Amino acid sequence: QQQVKQSPQSLIVQKGGISIINCAYENTAFDYFPWYQQFPGKGPALLIAIRPDVSEKKEGRFTISFNKSAKQFSLHIMDSQPGDSATYFCAAGNQAGTALIFGKGTTLSVSS
Amino acid sequence: DVKVTQSSRYLVKRTGEKVFLECVQDMDHENMFWYRQDPGLGLRLIYFSYDVKMKEKGDIPEGYSVSREKKERFSLILESASTNQTSMYLCASSIKGSQPQHFGDGTRLSIL
């Protein structure tokens, strides 16, 4: 199976709060799990990515948590800011550079 | 920084026309991809290419073809445009055998 299921579809968070977006994949051969951030009128830009040999990766306010046995991974945005308002996509694929399978996206709105 | 340039930001065409979407990358990447983005459906892979003159079908190739005559350029062709091909089209590139993919800012195509 090649699906990546992403939830929620939309999310509203207060400034300073924690935003959490979840994804689940089916293909155990996947070994590369990126998150992309997309602002209106722009293409998706890589935010952070993880490989299955670690359970967590943190870059600034953004953290990926990875659960290999459950085939799930999530993005946590700490101290969410209005500038984080964007659409976020999770994806899964292979480090060898094949095409990515994307989730359907989460629209995040951070209210001030 | 990697730059992926899509020749048109907005394009309006008529049903039945042959439509060309152009994508150029400046980082000598071997891999190039065409995705289609629709609200609630995320990004779906149309075609990808691992080398000049090489192409592989993605998840939704019907009604599309591609051309890669030079390494830096990957063209998406709608042979006979239909209204259900109205969408945002995103091009991406990556180094051979590696991630991540780098995206252009997209072409919003309307078929009337």
Side-chain angles (χ1 to χ4, degrees):
Chain A
Q1 288 294 330
Q2 295 282 73
Q3 288 189 73
V4 174
K5 295 182 179 178
Q6 182 172 348
S7 62
Q9 186 174 355
S10 62
L11 184 60
I12 300 174
V13 173
Q14 294 270 8
K15 179 181 176 181
I18 302 173
S19 304
I20 302 173
I21 305 170
N22 300 298
C23 282
Y25 64 99
E26 298 173 347
N27 189 338
T28 55
F30 290 151
D31 61 0
Y32 175 74
F33 303 91
W35 285 90
Y36 280 82
Q37 180 188 55
Q38 185 180 31
F39 293 106
K42 293 291 188 179
L46 179 68
L47 185 63
I48 186 172
I50 196 168
R51 289 170 169 80
D53 53 340
V54 296
S55 60
E56 186 175 282
K57 182 174 181 179
K58 184 176 181 179
E59 289 185 4
R61 296 185 293 108
F62 300 90
T63 300
I64 298 180
S65 298
F66 185 82
N67 185 328
K68 188 174 182 178
S69 60
K71 293 187 286 185
Q72 295 175 348
F73 58 110
S74 60
L75 177 69
H76 291 64
I77 305 174
M78 311 300 288
D79 187 26
S80 298
Q81 299 297 312
D84 297 331
S85 298
T87 300
Y88 293 82
F89 293 96
C90 64
N94 297 107
Q95 295 181 51
T98 54
L100 296 172
I101 308 298
F102 283 85
K104 293 184 177 181
T106 297
T107 301
L108 171 65
S109 295
V110 181
S111 60
S112 54
Chain B
D1 271 357
V2 175
K3 191 159 181 67
V4 179
T5 303
Q6 296 184 231
S7 57
S8 303
R9 292 299 304 275
Y10 301 93
L11 209 52
V12 180
K13 296 291 182 181
R14 298 217 172 265
T15 303
E17 280 193 66
K18 190 170 186 176
V19 181
F20 293 84
L21 303 184
E22 306 288 344
C23 175
V24 177
Q25 49 93 4
D26 68 356
M27 287 301 292
D28 203 34
H29 284 174
E30 289 81 7
N31 299 338
M32 296 190 75
F33 308 85
W34 275 106
Y35 293 90
R36 172 176 170 161
Q37 181 177 9
D38 298 289
L41 296 179
L43 279 69
R44 293 178 293 167
L45 182 67
I46 305 172
Y47 268 96
F48 58 101
S49 169
Y50 289 140
D51 203 346
V52 175
K53 297 192 185 296
M54 302 289 287
K55 61 184 179 182
E56 296 281 346
K57 291 181 180 179
D59 298 319
I60 52 166
E62 295 79 18
Y64 304 95
S65 63
V66 290
S67 173
R68 192 155 180 212
E69 296 296 319
K70 293 185 177 181
K71 190 176 186 179
E72 67 270 19
R73 185 179 298 271
F74 193 34
S75 302
L76 180 68
I77 304 159
L78 286 65
E79 296 290 344
S80 177
S82 63
T83 55
N84 63 11
Q85 293 178 309
T86 290
S87 187
M88 170 70 84
Y89 290 87
L90 291 163
C91 176
S93 72
S94 67
I95 297 171
K96 180 179 181 179
S98 182
Q99 300 282 4
Q101 293 181 24
H102 302 270
F103 283 84
D105 284 338
T107 295
R108 186 165 293 282
L109 175 64
S110 296
I111 307 296
L112 305 179

